[in-house]
């Protein structure tokens, strides 16, 4: 999970690829055979989802995601594994929720990383930085629309054919 968190923080701050952030942590989270929706990492997954929606002016989706991220982090017992200053993180989630609910424009988010985690990330990713300029690359901003979905489409088609075969029997 540590490498996934480092990759998440790099993508979140430097590349602002929130969709990829979601995927990175969700995959790592599901590798744990005892994962639950109450794990603290779920809060970061929801944060990334909220930022993705917020940047695209989907304020309702952003508020919902930020609210769920708040609920998860408040109820988690493993928040210390995230490498965040937890009180600042909770305050940030509240602020993001408020700004999105008011329809305020999105701006890049700087997570309150602990000094220890920040040093580890910079060792792994020497070009790590908080990018204050909002990324506007359409492939990143609209990733769910522009990504290669052939694998997903093939899986859906295969499942549809399996259901049809089952009905015909």
């Amino acid at each position: 999970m540590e490498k996934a968190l480092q990759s998440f923080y790099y993508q979140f701050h430097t590349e602002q690829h929130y969709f990829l952030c979601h995927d990175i942590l969700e995959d790592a989270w599901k590798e744990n055979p005892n994962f639950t929706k109450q794990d603290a990492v779920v809060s970061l997954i929801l944060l990334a989802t909220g930022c993705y929606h917020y940047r695209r002016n989907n304020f309702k989706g952003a508020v919902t995601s930020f609210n769920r991220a708040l609920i998860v982090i408040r109820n988690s017992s493993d928040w210390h594994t995230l490498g965040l200053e937890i009180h600042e993180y909770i305050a940030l989630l509240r602020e993001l929720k408020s700004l999105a609910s008011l329809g305020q424009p999105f701006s890049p988010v700087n997570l309150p990383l602990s000094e220890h985690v920040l040093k580890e990330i910079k060792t792994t990713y020497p070009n790590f930085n908080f990018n204050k300029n909002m990324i506007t690359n359409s492939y990143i901003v609209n990733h769910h629309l522009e990504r290669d979905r052939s694998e997903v489409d093939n899986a859906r088609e295969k499942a549809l054919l399996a259901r049809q075969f089952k009905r015909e029997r």
Side-chain angles (χ1 to χ4, degrees):
M1 180 61 78
E2 186 177 326
K3 287 194 180 291
L5 280 169
Q6 286 183 11
S7 181
F8 173 91
Y9 292 138
Y10 173 79
Q11 289 295 330
F12 193 91
H13 290 100
T14 305
E15 304 294 332
Q16 298 171 15
H17 199 325
Y18 305 125
F19 196 98
L20 181 58
C21 287
H22 170 280
D23 287 351
I24 289 167
L25 282 191
E26 185 176 62
D27 289 346
W29 170 61
K30 287 183 175 180
E31 284 179 8
N32 176 352
N34 301 315
F35 73 89
T36 72
K37 291 186 178 183
Q38 287 74 43
D39 294 336
V41 71
V42 173
S43 180
L44 286 176
I45 295 168
L46 290 164
L47 165 72
T49 303
C51 287
Y52 185 79
H53 288 308
Y54 192 7
R55 179 171 53 193
R56 299 182 75 254
N57 295 323
N58 175 356
F59 301 115
K60 183 178 180 183
V63 169
T64 299
S65 295
F66 295 145
N67 190 52
R68 289 177 58 208
L70 265 167
I71 292 167
V72 169
I73 201 63
R74 283 188 196 135
N75 294 324
S76 72
S77 59
D78 63 334
W79 56 265
H80 59 281
T81 62
L82 302 180
L84 294 170
E85 301 296 338
I86 195 65
H87 298 293
E88 292 174 39
Y89 175 63
I90 290 171
L92 176 65
L93 286 171
R94 285 183 182 136
E95 179 184 9
L96 288 168
K97 180 181 166 186
S98 175
L99 291 170
S101 69
L102 295 170
Q104 295 296 308
F106 176 81
S107 61
V109 176
N110 190 4
L111 295 173
L113 301 174
S114 70
E115 285 299 318
H116 174 73
V117 168
L118 198 52
K119 286 179 187 176
E120 287 179 349
I121 295 168
K122 287 182 178 183
T123 299
T124 306
Y125 298 97
N127 68 329
F128 171 83
N129 70 322
F130 170 60
N131 188 350
K132 295 176 185 168
N133 299 315
M134 189 160 44
I135 299 292
T136 57
N137 177 319
S138 182
Y139 182 74
I140 290 176
V141 173
N142 301 303
H143 193 73
H144 77 286
L145 299 172
E146 297 186 19
R147 65 187 166 145
D148 177 11
R149 297 189 42 86
S150 56
E151 191 175 306
V152 173
D153 293 339
N154 289 338
R156 282 187 179 158
E157 186 175 336
K158 194 174 184 179
L160 176 64
L161 290 173
R163 285 193 303 272
Q164 288 174 343
F165 178 76
K166 189 177 181 179
R167 275 187 247 142
E168 291 173 2
R169 291 178 66 186

